Amino acid sequence: GKTLAYLVPTLSALSDSLFTRQRIRVKAEEDVGDVADDLLARGAVQTSPTIRGQGRRQVGGGGGNGALATGATMSTLGKSGTDVRSPLALIVVPTRELGVQTALLLYECVGGSTKKTMTELPGLANSFKYKGPKGVKIGCVLDDEEAKFGLKLQTDVAITTPTYIAKLIRDGDVVPENLRVIVYDEADLALEQTLEEDLGALFSNSESERSLSRLTYLVGASVTESLGKLVVKDGILPEGKSFIATATRFAPLTTADISE
């Protein structure tokens, strides 16, 4: 439930941008087919979710209908131009195991089919009944071997640990100003593992300096109001537009009384 609590609104908010990317990619592939006059190539437009990363053998094959959350209660972040390479969303997790778990659940959310055991047959549909853009690309850099390759292919949602943030930015695989959503899962631990300069690189551009709006989620059972106030003060969450949600409370975060 915790992971879905940020994946569903993230996908909903990015729906327009993901549909735009789908149309651009399909058009580009059709153009290549036209030049080659290859009808087979033109028909082989990618319509299945894919996960980039050397360690994703747990993921079942199969297409599906590319389901994606389009919740009416969540306003969209709108289109993000014609760039289809740079990730729209970055999910930072403290461990590789959590990253794999998150990637598999996200894969299912966008229409992918996975196997939970070696003998289980992959399902033909996931639990979501709505339709969304096809070919959503998930890129994972969760260990040193995956870091060698980086995110050289087109990626919509990138999943990594704090260890590899600097390399992804340095190599141009993640462009901070192009990110529409940043998620820190198990936020207290993941933030503690992130170097100050890497946090600065991710969040240095203020809302007024960015041409595109952004959502930031700090998620975890141990995320407290005190932590929320600290990250508002540090500029990770925007003051006046940040909220803390628990099982019993939904309230705005302010920088007053940081020491509480």
Side-chain angles (χ1 to χ4, degrees):
K2 172 178 66 72
T3 308
L4 286 174
Y6 67 77
L7 285 182
V8 171
T10 291
L11 293 172
S12 179
L14 293 176
S15 60
D16 277 4
S17 295
L18 291 170
F19 272 116
T20 298
R21 286 183 168 212
Q22 175 188 331
R23 288 191 290 270
I24 292 172
R25 286 166 178 158
V26 170
K27 178 64 165 61
E29 188 143 358
E30 287 176 343
D31 288 346
V32 170
D34 288 338
V35 171
D37 195 27
D38 186 339
L39 293 178
L40 180 61
R42 276 192 289 167
V45 176
Q46 179 176 339
T47 58
S48 303
T50 57
I51 291 184
R52 307 293 187 185
Q54 299 300 309
R56 305 289 80 78
R57 295 187 182 89
Q58 301 93 329
V59 177
N65 293 323
L68 179 67
T70 55
T73 59
M74 183 70 188
S75 61
T76 178
L77 289 179
K79 299 179 179 63
S80 298
T82 58
D83 172 30
V84 296
R85 180 183 180 279
S86 301
L88 293 172
L90 175 67
I91 301 174
V92 182
V93 295
T95 65
R96 182 184 188 277
E97 291 71 24
L98 181 56
V100 171
Q101 175 185 321
T102 302
L104 290 172
L105 183 56
L106 176 56
Y107 184 79
E108 290 181 326
C109 286
V110 294
S113 179
T114 62
K115 297 197 301 182
K116 302 298 189 297
T117 66
M118 293 294 292
T119 58
E120 177 186 358
L121 292 175
L124 297 179
N126 58 48
S127 60
F128 297 95
K129 302 302 181 184
Y130 40 73
K131 298 195 177 197
K134 299 177 181 179
V136 176
K137 299 178 185 296
I138 306 162
C140 298
V141 175
L142 299 169
D143 56 36
D144 291 342
E145 187 64 24
E146 292 172 359
K148 293 179 183 177
F149 297 95
L151 300 174
K152 300 306 180 187
L153 300 175
Q154 298 173 354
T155 302
D156 297 316
V157 181
I159 303 173
T160 191
T161 67
T163 303
Y164 304 108
I165 291 175
K167 184 180 188 302
L168 290 172
I169 295 176
R170 183 173 63 250
D171 293 349
D173 290 339
V174 169
V175 182
E177 55 266 32
N178 290 350
L179 291 171
R180 312 300 304 280
V181 177
I182 297 178
V183 178
Y184 263 77
D185 200 348
E186 300 297 343
D188 53 347
L189 181 57
L191 286 171
E192 183 180 328
Q193 294 177 357
T194 305
L195 297 176
E196 186 174 345
E197 53 265 37
D198 295 343
L199 281 175
L202 281 177
F203 297 101
S204 60
N205 294 318
S206 67
E207 187 174 2
S208 61
E209 295 172 333
R210 293 194 309 269
S211 59
L212 302 173
S213 56
R214 175 188 288 172
L215 294 173
T216 301
Y217 295 95
L218 304 183
V219 186
S222 54
V223 172
T224 63
E225 188 165 356
S226 295
L227 175 64
K229 290 179 178 180
L230 284 170
V231 294
V232 168
K233 181 182 179 183
D234 291 341
I236 295 174
L237 297 181
E239 185 171 10
K241 297 183 179 180
S242 299
F243 296 81
I244 185 165
T246 69
T248 58
R249 186 164 182 253
F250 180 77
L253 285 168
T254 66
T255 55
D257 299 323
I258 292 292
S259 60
E260 289 184 358

